[in-house]
Amino acid sequence: MRKIRLILFLICAFLFMPFTGSTMAADLSPAAEAQADITMHSGASNQYQSKALISKSKKFIIIGEITNSLNEHWLHINYGGKSGWIKGSGIKRLDLRVQYVTSSAAETLIRRGASESYQQTGSLKNGEMVKIMDTFTHKNGAIWVRLSNGNVTGWSELQDLELFNGTRNYFNKTVFAKTDTQVKRGASSNALAVYTLKKGQQVILQSTVINGKEIWHRIVDGRKSGWIADGTITNQVTLSGNMYVKDENVVIRRGASSHYKTAGKLSYGQKVSIISGFTSSSGDIWYKVAAGKGLEGWIPAASVTSQPMKVVYLTIDDGPTIYSNKLLDTLSQYDAKATFFMVNGNINAYPKAVKRMVTDGHAVGSHSVTHDKNKFYRSPATAVNEMNTTRNTIKKVTGITSNLMRTPYGSIPYMKQNYRNAMTKEHFIMWDWNVDSMDWKFNSSSYVNYTLHYVDMQEAKGQAPIILIHDRKATVEALPSLLSELKKRGYALAPLNESMTPHQFKLK
């Protein structure tokens, strides 16, 4: 009796076991739509447990099909994040390449080629809508599809995907208007238009719905909201105009992500030209900018503003000295950054102060070896040699190469065109000033009011003040008064950097 029961059990198991010897025919589309309500089972027979009900007009992906031992045609499908089996009748095949698909799991890997042996280049997250660009069927029947998630393009296995049904929520993702487009009151081409979005305008994308054959996106634009047709928004757009850096030490990267290498740095208040905008898959907005001196790259959109910033550039010559640490303490107290143009021998005498300048976020540059106009300006070669020596010393002490430099006593009248050409050939960036504090002449706190008077004059001209002071006792002692007054006027103090257009005295 026990043997008879075992034989009967094996026969029943065989009858209802899915047959896997055949797969979906390569010439049939793997996308389909239910023509009536369909029950999805856990196996290729009605005897298996019901897993879900697929309503009429819902779409799904077919990842395999068989004829079971009862000669019934069954389809293996992905639907609603689940895989299961349905009978092969009562469906309509669809063109896969015009359908939107998403990951059937939390995410699906995107690879460089149509095989698991290829390197992963990214992933498609569940809820991300993409269209199929191409398909490839292996000899074993496995289907791979080429797609793009906006960041990377590659291949994913079809069995890891499902057709997009219903609504995708974006959780307030920022996008750009691809062209001038009408915003509708409802998700239909027949709905009333409420206003027009301008090309390049940023809007908040809230959700996407499929309305019959139409795809519509709900957007929010300030206090206004509405619906726009698919194809009218983009995650990347060409832009034009100027903006201003509103954060300190903004890093320019080679791509629109913090994972890319650094291409340069920007200072607070620096003006940049906007080239394009991009919204990453995580919803972060990045701008591609041109910052001068051939520097281009990507920065977070949140780090710039359309409003000019009030910034002053404090430049300090002739250091370091025994007063430098007190000077640095004062700058730190007022959250002020400066640029130190230093003499070679002093750098060697006070290397710890120079290291601290860099650690505290200040800029450093060369200011000669001799600081003697009779020696420095003897020829273009002697001037370049002194600056090269000082630059090398800064590199030795701090580990950084700074091309910033200021010539002794300023560039007029000594820096003729041949001197300037020689400096440029060695990649030096020469800075003069537009506010001379005359601190060396006053040798007291009187330089503060004198400096503020000329700061106000530069502000009236719409120019950022570039103040010259010196690393000396009387100047350092009165520095808190100067910084306090600059802060009251609404100024932030920022360092110079190599991407900025330098202020230089004009040759006569």
Side-chain angles (χ1 to χ4, degrees):
M1 177 65 75
R2 187 175 296 174
K3 289 184 178 179
I4 294 173
R5 287 177 179 173
L6 177 61
I7 291 171
L8 290 172
F9 173 79
L10 292 173
I11 291 172
C12 291
F14 175 79
L15 288 174
F16 297 120
M17 179 178 66
F19 176 67
T20 58
S22 63
T23 57
M24 183 182 65
D27 59 342
L28 293 177
S29 170
E33 180 182 79
Q35 298 298 286
D37 292 350
I38 300 175
T39 301
M40 183 170 70
H41 296 268
S42 59
S45 164
N46 285 327
Q47 302 301 315
Y48 282 91
Q49 181 182 5
S50 298
K51 294 184 69 175
L53 178 67
I54 303 175
S55 302
K56 180 181 178 180
S57 300
K58 291 296 184 181
K59 301 173 184 178
F60 48 86
I61 282 180
I62 303 169
I63 56 177
E65 48 188 295
I66 68 168
T67 300
N68 68 9
S69 57
L70 300 177
N71 204 33
E72 295 174 331
H73 183 210
W74 283 77
L75 306 176
H76 193 196
I77 69 167
N78 276 348
Y79 174 76
K82 301 177 182 178
S83 62
W85 295 83
I86 64 171
K87 277 192 173 182
S89 58
I91 68 163
K92 176 184 177 182
R93 299 276 183 164
L94 304 171
D95 184 354
L96 179 64
R97 299 193 192 191
V98 299
Q99 306 300 318
Y100 284 88
V101 297
T102 188
S103 172
S104 60
E107 63 178 358
T108 293
L109 300 185
I110 300 175
R111 300 185 181 274
R112 292 191 185 280
S115 167
E116 290 184 356
S117 62
Y118 283 93
Q119 182 182 1
Q120 176 188 347
T121 59
S123 63
L124 178 71
K125 291 181 172 55
N126 181 260
E128 284 188 87
M129 288 171 50
V130 295
K131 275 189 176 180
I132 303 301
M133 303 163 67
D134 199 0
T135 62
F136 177 80
T137 304
H138 285 274
K139 292 181 180 180
N140 63 3
I143 301 175
W144 286 71
V145 294
R146 187 167 178 261
L147 49 82
S148 174
N149 69 350
N151 285 332
V152 296
T153 300
W155 293 82
S156 296
E157 193 167 2
L158 185 64
Q159 70 174 10
D160 296 328
L161 304 173
E162 64 180 62
L163 291 179
F164 179 84
N165 285 290
T167 301
R168 175 186 174 188
N169 294 314
Y170 291 90
F171 305 107
N172 297 327
K173 177 181 178 180
T174 301
V175 292
F176 306 94
K178 187 185 295 185
T179 183
D180 289 355
T181 185
Q182 288 187 331
V183 179
K184 301 276 190 173
R185 192 179 298 279
S188 167
S189 55
N190 296 323
L192 180 68
V194 289
Y195 72 101
T196 300
L197 275 182
K198 295 296 182 182
K199 179 181 178 180
Q201 188 171 342
Q202 292 183 25
V203 294
I204 303 299
L205 179 60
Q206 293 191 316
S207 61
T208 294
V209 299
I210 297 178
N211 180 9
K213 294 184 178 181
E214 295 182 341
I215 298 174
W216 287 83
H217 307 284
R218 179 172 175 80
I219 58 98
V220 174
D221 174 22
R223 295 183 178 179
K224 297 179 288 187
S225 64
W227 296 86
I228 56 176
D230 185 51
T232 60
I233 57 172
T234 179
N235 65 344
Q236 185 164 357
V237 67
T238 300
L239 300 172
S240 62
N242 296 322
M243 299 190 83
Y244 301 86
V245 178
K246 65 176 184 178
D247 296 330
E248 290 186 5
N249 296 321
V250 172
V251 174
I252 297 183
R253 301 196 179 270
R254 298 191 185 280
S257 165
S258 58
H259 298 300
Y260 283 92
K261 291 183 178 180
T262 299
K265 290 186 177 181
L266 302 175
S267 294
Y268 178 89
Q270 187 172 346
K271 183 169 72 172
V272 294
S273 298
I274 305 298
I275 299 173
S276 60
F278 175 76
T279 303
S280 68
S281 58
S282 59
D284 298 322
I285 309 172
W286 289 74
Y287 286 145
K288 186 176 184 181
V289 301
K293 299 294 180 181
L295 178 61
E296 287 189 1
W298 294 86
I299 61 174
S303 63
V304 291
T305 176
S306 59
Q307 297 299 317
M309 313 300 291
K310 285 193 70 172
V311 60
V312 63
Y313 300 100
L314 183 66
T315 62
I316 305 168
D317 285 9
D318 295 355
T321 70
I322 58 173
Y323 308 109
S324 294
N325 278 322
K326 182 177 181 181
L327 193 161
L328 289 166
D329 289 341
T330 301
L331 291 172
S332 177
Q333 178 185 349
Y334 285 88
D335 192 25
K337 305 301 180 186
T339 303
F340 291 83
F341 291 109
M342 297 176 290
V343 177
N344 188 71
N346 293 350
I347 298 171
N348 287 319
Y350 302 97
K352 290 184 179 179
V354 179
K355 290 179 181 178
R356 182 183 170 188
M357 292 171 190
V358 173
T359 301
D360 287 359
H362 304 290
V364 293
S366 303
H367 193 46
S368 82
V369 175
T370 64
H371 205 280
D372 184 331
K373 61 178 180 291
N374 295 320
K375 295 178 180 179
F376 183 86
Y377 296 107
R378 186 173 296 164
S379 70
T382 57
V384 167
N385 286 339
E386 287 203 20
M387 289 303 185
N388 268 327
T389 298
T390 309
R391 178 168 60 183
N392 291 337
T393 302
I394 292 173
K395 173 68 178 295
K396 181 181 177 181
V397 171
T398 67
I400 66 170
T401 298
S402 173
N403 297 314
L404 301 175
M405 70 93 163
R406 172 172 287 160
T407 60
Y409 308 103
S411 65
I412 295 296
Y414 308 105
M415 290 294 289
K416 306 299 183 184
Q417 191 62 56
N418 57 338
Y419 283 79
R420 298 183 185 216
N421 292 343
M423 291 294 180
T424 301
K425 187 176 180 180
E426 293 297 317
H427 308 293
F428 283 108
I429 303 169
M430 183 180 71
W431 279 86
D432 287 309
W433 57 86
N434 58 21
V435 175
D436 188 348
S437 68
M438 291 291 181
D439 58 339
W440 59 272
K441 184 176 181 179
F442 286 105
N443 199 29
S444 70
S445 61
S446 298
Y447 85 90
V448 173
N449 288 333
Y450 182 86
T451 300
L452 292 170
H453 170 72
Y454 284 96
V455 165
D456 293 341
M457 289 182 63
Q458 291 300 324
E459 181 177 351
K461 296 177 184 178
Q463 302 293 324
I466 305 163
I467 302 173
L468 165 64
I469 65 172
H470 297 83
D471 192 339
R472 55 205 315 274
K473 183 179 179 182
T475 301
V476 173
E477 289 178 348
L479 186 60
S481 178
L482 175 63
L483 297 182
S484 176
E485 288 300 322
L486 289 171
K487 291 286 186 177
K488 288 179 182 178
R489 284 164 163 77
Y491 282 107
L493 286 91
L496 303 175
N497 68 61
E498 295 187 15
S499 68
M500 299 171 66
T501 301
H503 176 79
Q504 299 175 352
F505 299 146
K506 293 182 180 180
L507 288 169
K508 295 181 181 179

